[in-house]
Amino acid sequence: KSKLDLNIDGSDVLEHVHAVSKTNPFWNELSASNPFIYDIAASNRNENNKYLSVLKENPYLFSRGSSNRESLASSGDELDIDCLLRKTSARRSGRSKSISDFLDIIDNRRLNPHKTTPQKTVASDTMWLQNDREAYRMAWLSHRQLTRSCLDLETSSQSPGWAQTQATDVHIVGKLNHEGGSVQLPDSDINVHVPMGHVLPGEFQEVGLKAILNPPSSLNNELSITVSPLIEITLSNLSTREAIFLEVKVAAKVKNDPLSQVMTDIVCFYSLSKEGPFKKLQNCYFYEDTVQVKLTDLSHLMYTVIAVQANKIEPPATTVWDYVHRTVSVGIYGPKYIHPSFTAVFTAFGHNYIPRKLTIYDIKKGRKNMPPVVFQLWGKHTLLLEKPQDLNISLISCDPDFEVKVENQSKSIKEEQLKTGEMVRQQFHFSMLGSKEMHFFLFLVEIKDLKSGQVMQFCVTTPDPAPKLSGIVSRPKCLQKRKEVKSAPLLLIPTVKYPKFQDKGLNINTYGVALKTVLRQSKIDYLLEYFKGDTIALLGEDKVKAIGQTKIKEWYVGVLRRKVGLVHRKNVKVISKEQAMDTADSELLTRNLVEQIALPFKKLTYIYSVVLSTVSENVYDWRALAEVLGYSHMSWDDFNEKYVDKESERVAHVVKRLKEDCHANKKKRLFLYELIIALLKIDCQGLVARLTQDTVILTSAVKLGKCWRELAEKLARLTKQQIEAYEAPHQGKNGEVALEMMWKPAYDFLYTWAAHYGDSYRDVLQDLQSALDKMKNPVTKHWRELTGTLILVNCMDVLRASAFSTEEEEE
């Protein structure tokens, strides 16, 4: 396991990073990665560039990231150093990992602690790009576009629903040398075999595999049915000497009777386009339900699909289905953790590949459409259908505490839907009865043939309810963006060394020139005022969504006249550092930045015991904390003997000392404000992010009171029954929740809602801000501290880059 906020003395890791920074054309500042500047492009054409992976340059391959959950690769513009220090469950481009990823890591370590690292995708030759300037230019443009898009390798848009957001397309990339090998799509019977001698010695072949669940509609008719998913194959190297082999298990077997054997063939169709046209391949070999296809006509991007094809239909047969034993795979999907109200999805596939995760785009709550969410596979079953026919689907709860909503108790699948071969989905909405404690339960899936009356059944067990954050407090959580790497193995804790905070000017790379004058008659906290022509330092390119005087706008975080605040993005023209003329008014020291971005904590509500335990468990050097708090005079003599062997107790003692001093001088010293400043000065950004989310949730609950019901409807579309379930534990003798106690159900709801973002704290704060801004009477009109915390988390990168020296600078 990893711990947060630790500084590692890992020279080997840093040397590797430094080496990559010299060879990666996308590593340095924007201008250094621009291939249109001749001298920069020329400097990149050195012999070291041969170590760059073709996946970073090839436009065909770049849009398809590997879902190998523990592969070592870079994402976005910079090498993800985090990957060098710990195994990750998915690559992230913009935000931190989701709660599902975080819990997956915990589950993997608990269930399989000795799991070895799978095959890694490493570098290969890119001389073909370096010698072709137009190819290099197109690769660079593809890289920049995908870095900024929501499709960046393996990310999905965040959703405030009960399901977790994760990468959905199952895709793997394997790199093979002259000796050949195999690449298998995870959790499937789809393989690509590369024979020895496929490429010359010293060369490499990168093979990408992806399964597209809906097969081509043109291949599903009376004479033909597809029995595998549409398989996308990508190759990086076309200078080959041997063909490759595709091996697939199919969802059909030709019947043994002579007529079926004569009339029917299992064939493989091939195309260079997802939509076709498809041509039949001749080099196919069969044994039982497995097909092996020899691919000789190789391309960078290829599509194949296996189908059963009949020459003609002889009565009494009516379709090709009558000549084969055809199976239909059924998957039951749902959120990773159940809640008082959730949706389960019955899914039928025309092949035997059932993915572990599935994106559902048409979830509805009442008449409202939900954002796309990713569901997990709860259970699966295989049906043998002699012919396509109407089916009736029912889900029946075996637990009296849960029920399937009446209007959803029975759904049907039409014969025509099965004939098309496409994936068929039916949604079933479950709800909890009463206000008992949540628990997993069993439900029955019934599939009834409407013609014969035959019923097929199987049982599915739901997952557990979402764990409360308090249940994983003691486990390390990475509440940081990709670059915020301050973690180390548990064994390194005794040698922790926190970095030295440096009070110096900020490193600013982007500026904005004010296009108009903005002076407010009624001043608004955290919003800048400026004159036309002012040069404003922009602390990053990320935008913050927040309400202004009247409506919600997008803002940059900027610095002007020693004040940090927001500037409306439409009011500035963004320029580079080289284009900025006069930057004197936009200069700021790191000490001033820390003091300003911590200002919201002067007004946020907190629970002292929670803050104390959180800090004591996640700070590993009491001296470092004591020094930045002004207690450098403290020594071992200040601790009781029972605390000598417990670092957490010594840290707690320092925090208690700060609390006592602030309590004695309330007018000048505020406990949480000074503590946050201290944590930022020892570079504990993950811990600061966690404290920020906790205090914002608590303060929001207190500010909302009974208005939390409106927010709950906006954030999670809670029904009246669900809202009452949250309030039931806090009702008084009269059956009502007292106004002064209304913050408790509000806190319970926000706490649970935020838990499903996992450690993506920036999304929690931003989505909460947006939802509060959209209320009928927004509390954010007069309560701006949430906006202030958004400024804080968006300044963390520039603070780390400016206030803490790199290893090179220290030398």
Side-chain angles (χ1 to χ4, degrees), residues 501-504 589-596 681:
F501 180 81
Q502 299 177 12
D503 186 17
K504 60 182 184 180
L589 296 177
T590 53
R591 170 175 50 84
N592 302 127
L593 176 65
V594 168
E595 291 170 352
Q596 285 202 51
K681 284 187 175 181

Side-chain angles (χ1 to χ4, degrees), residues 5-29:
D5 305 313
L6 307 183
N7 214 6
I8 300 175
D9 185 15
S11 57
D12 54 340
V13 172
L14 292 173
E15 286 175 6
H16 176 77
V17 173
H18 182 60
V20 175
S21 68
K22 293 180 179 179
T23 61
N24 191 339
F26 303 118
W27 178 274
N28 295 316
E29 64 272 11

Side-chain angles (χ1 to χ4, degrees), residues 337-354:
Y337 301 101
I338 60 171
H339 277 263
S341 178
F342 63 86
T343 298
V345 180
F346 175 97
T347 309
F349 301 95
H351 44 75
N352 57 10
Y353 173 58
I354 306 179

Side-chain angles (χ1 to χ4, degrees), residues 162 339 469 693-705 707-716 718 726 742-757 764 767-769 771-772 775 779 783 786:
W162 292 130
H339 277 263
L469 288 183
Q693 179 172 311
D694 289 348
T695 52
V696 163
I697 287 175
L698 179 60
T699 311
S700 300
V702 174
K703 291 284 182 184
L704 283 167
C707 295
W708 83 272
R709 299 164 182 166
E710 180 189 350
L711 180 70
E713 198 282 329
K714 287 185 178 297
L715 277 179
L718 290 193
Y726 274 105
M742 194 61 78
W743 69 270
K744 291 187 177 182
Y747 179 76
D748 290 344
F749 162 71
L750 287 173
Y751 187 89
T752 307
W753 167 77
H756 289 82
Y757 282 77
V764 172
D767 287 355
L768 181 57
Q769 171 85 60
L772 290 172
M775 293 177 67
V779 296
W783 176 60
L786 177 51

Side-chain angles (χ1 to χ4, degrees), residues 31-43:
S31 60
S33 67
N34 191 333
F36 306 110
I37 303 176
Y38 176 79
D39 56 340
I40 297 296
S43 68

Side-chain angles (χ1 to χ4, degrees), residues 38 92 125 294 303 342 429 438 456 471 772 775:
Y38 176 79
R92 294 285 163 192
D125 191 0
K294 185 177 182 180
Y303 294 90
F342 63 86
H429 299 286
M438 288 285 296
M456 295 157 280
L772 290 172
M775 293 177 67

